[in-house]
Every structure is written in C-alpha cells, then in structure tokens.
C-alpha cells in the first residue's frame, strides 16, 4: 500500500550528443630506423607515440583514425570518436610491425581511402616519418595530388636529426647492437625532407621538422 501511494515511476531517457569537428587520420612510420636514439633517453618511436597521445587528448570534438606503415600500410583503427581505442593501438604499435621499408606513397593513399567517404568539412592527415621513400608501388607526389583533389590536407612531420643517428638492433641472444657497414662503421639513418615538404605544399598544409 505504501509503495502504491508513493506512485513509483520507471523513467527511460535518451541523450543525443552532436559533435562537429575535423576528421583526422594519423599515419605513423614504424620502419626500423624509428629505433634511432637521437631523442635521448628515448628513441624516435617512443617520442612519436607520446606526442600523438598528447595531441589526441586535445582533440575532444574530432574523429581520429590510425594507420601504421613500413613497406606496407595497415589501418589499426578507422576514424572514430572513441579515442581510447586509438590510444590503445598506439601503445601496442611496435617498430617493424608493418615491414622494414618506408612506403610513404602507399601510406598516404591508405589515408585517402579512410577519409574520402567522410562528410566532415575538414579532412586532415598527419604523416609522421623519419625516412626516405624507398618502398611501395605508389609515388608519394601522385598520392599527394589525389589527396589535394579530394580536399584532404596532409601535414607532414619529419622526425629526427638531419645528421642521422645510429640504428639499434635487438638480437635475441646478444641483446642490443647497432647496424654497421661491412667495414664496422655504424650505419646512420638517412633523412631527406624534400618529399615531405612537397606533400604538404601540394595539399595546402605545412611541414615540420621535429628535432627534440
């Protein structure tokens, strides 16, 4: 009787949240040279991952996707508002996961495929790489021109010192070693930002060189 007099009610409510931001695909180089240690005490990969996570925390209204690339390009996550899944995939990404080469053109083309159906007013790719394009069947400049035609901007970030840095190799038996030439001299990473600057210019974006 008391419960009946109290007139309990079951209420079901829904809340619809609308977000209107930018669709962003982050493209991360995972080639072997990302182990280079010119960002002491961290290597290039650790710095790139830390920076991506800080960037994502600020993009609360934007959808973000993640592509990793080496000689191949792999979509780790399509564009989504669920930033936690992006951060998880970033944390799980390892050097060499997508092959040892650097297929910049293929990576950009894969990003275009992820963004071309987007209805966002602004579509952006952020390309983070430390290498010279040396793999893949798609020319980076051709891929950039396709992106420009689809109104996708490609901001490129060249990570690393232009002087180059030694490349650590982790041997299961001998531990950490450095890649060397036949004469015993350490192999240094190559760095040429000419293509990265062209990609950014073609897509009406910008190029940055991260040295620290």
């Amino acid at each position: 009787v008391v419960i009946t007099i109290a007139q309990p009610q079951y209420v079901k409510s829904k809340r619809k949240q609308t977000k209107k931001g930018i669709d962003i695909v982050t493209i991360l180089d995972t080639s072997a040279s990302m182990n280079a240690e010119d960002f002491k005490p961290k290597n290039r990969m650790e710095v790139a991952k830390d920076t991506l996570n800080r960037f994502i925390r600020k993009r609360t209204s934007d959808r973000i996707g993640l592509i990793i690339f080496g000689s191949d390009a792999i979509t780790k996550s399509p564009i989504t508002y669920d930033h936690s899944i992006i951060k998880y995939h970033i944390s799980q990404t390892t050097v060499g996961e997508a092959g040892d080469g650097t297929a910049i053109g293929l990576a950009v083309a894969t990003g275009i495929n992820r963004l071309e159906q987007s209805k966002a007013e602004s579509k952006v790719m952020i390309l983070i790489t430390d290498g010279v394009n040396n793999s893949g069947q798609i020319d980076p400049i051709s891929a950039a021109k396709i992106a420009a035609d689809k109104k996708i901007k490609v901001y490129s970030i060249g990570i690393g010192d232009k002087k180059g840095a030694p490349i650590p190799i982790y041997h299961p038996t001998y531990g950490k070693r450095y890649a060397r030439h036949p004469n015993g001299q350490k192999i240094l990473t190559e760095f040429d930002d000419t293509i990265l600057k062209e990609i950014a210019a073609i897509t009406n974006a910008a190029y940055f060189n991260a040295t620290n």
Side-chain angles (χ1 to χ4, degrees):
V1 173
V2 172
I3 293 173
T4 302
I5 294 172
Q7 294 183 327
Q9 297 180 13
Y10 172 74
V11 179
K12 184 178 181 181
S13 63
K14 291 183 178 180
R15 183 177 67 177
K16 185 176 181 180
Q17 186 177 31
T18 301
K19 294 184 178 182
K20 191 174 182 181
I22 302 170
D23 277 357
I24 301 169
V25 169
T26 56
I27 305 175
L28 179 60
D29 186 350
T30 61
S31 59
S33 56
M34 289 293 283
N35 271 329
E37 299 172 331
D38 45 354
F39 290 89
K40 291 184 181 299
K42 297 182 178 183
N43 61 31
R44 294 176 179 179
M45 177 58 75
E46 291 171 328
V47 171
K49 289 165 72 170
D50 287 347
T51 304
L52 267 180
N53 280 321
R54 287 199 302 270
F55 171 78
I56 290 168
R57 282 199 295 268
K58 298 178 181 178
R59 314 305 305 183
T60 55
S61 298
D62 300 326
R63 296 199 305 168
I64 298 176
L66 174 65
I67 292 170
I68 64 169
F69 77 100
S71 53
D72 196 7
I74 302 171
T75 300
K76 298 284 277 188
S77 174
I79 49 177
T80 176
Y81 285 122
D82 186 359
H83 294 176
S84 61
I85 193 67
I86 303 295
K87 292 176 181 177
Y88 170 78
H89 283 303
I90 290 172
S91 69
Q92 296 300 304
T93 296
T94 57
V95 171
E97 188 173 345
D100 291 332
T102 306
I104 295 174
L106 177 60
V108 172
T110 304
I112 294 170
N113 288 337
R114 300 284 79 81
L115 284 168
E116 64 178 347
Q117 300 301 323
S118 166
K119 293 184 168 80
E121 293 182 7
S122 296
K123 293 177 279 188
V124 169
M125 281 188 263
I126 299 176
L127 171 65
I128 303 173
T129 178
D130 71 341
V132 179
N133 185 75
N134 58 21
S135 186
Q137 298 179 340
I138 303 174
D139 174 59
I141 302 305
S142 298
K145 290 178 179 177
I146 295 171
D149 289 341
K150 296 180 180 295
K151 295 181 169 47
I152 299 172
K153 294 184 177 182
V154 184
Y155 289 87
S156 57
I157 301 174
I159 185 166
D161 194 325
K162 291 184 179 181
K163 297 177 183 177
I167 306 171
I169 297 174
Y170 297 92
H171 193 279
T173 303
Y174 303 107
K176 182 177 175 181
R177 294 286 188 272
Y178 288 92
R180 295 180 182 272
H181 293 286
N183 62 5
Q185 186 178 2
K186 287 182 181 179
I187 297 174
L188 300 182
T189 56
E190 296 181 35
F191 186 85
D192 184 359
D193 57 11
T194 304
I195 288 179
L196 300 182
K197 289 177 179 178
E198 287 187 49
I199 290 172
I202 289 169
T203 61
N204 195 30
Y207 165 75
F208 305 92
N209 179 212
T211 58
N212 57 47

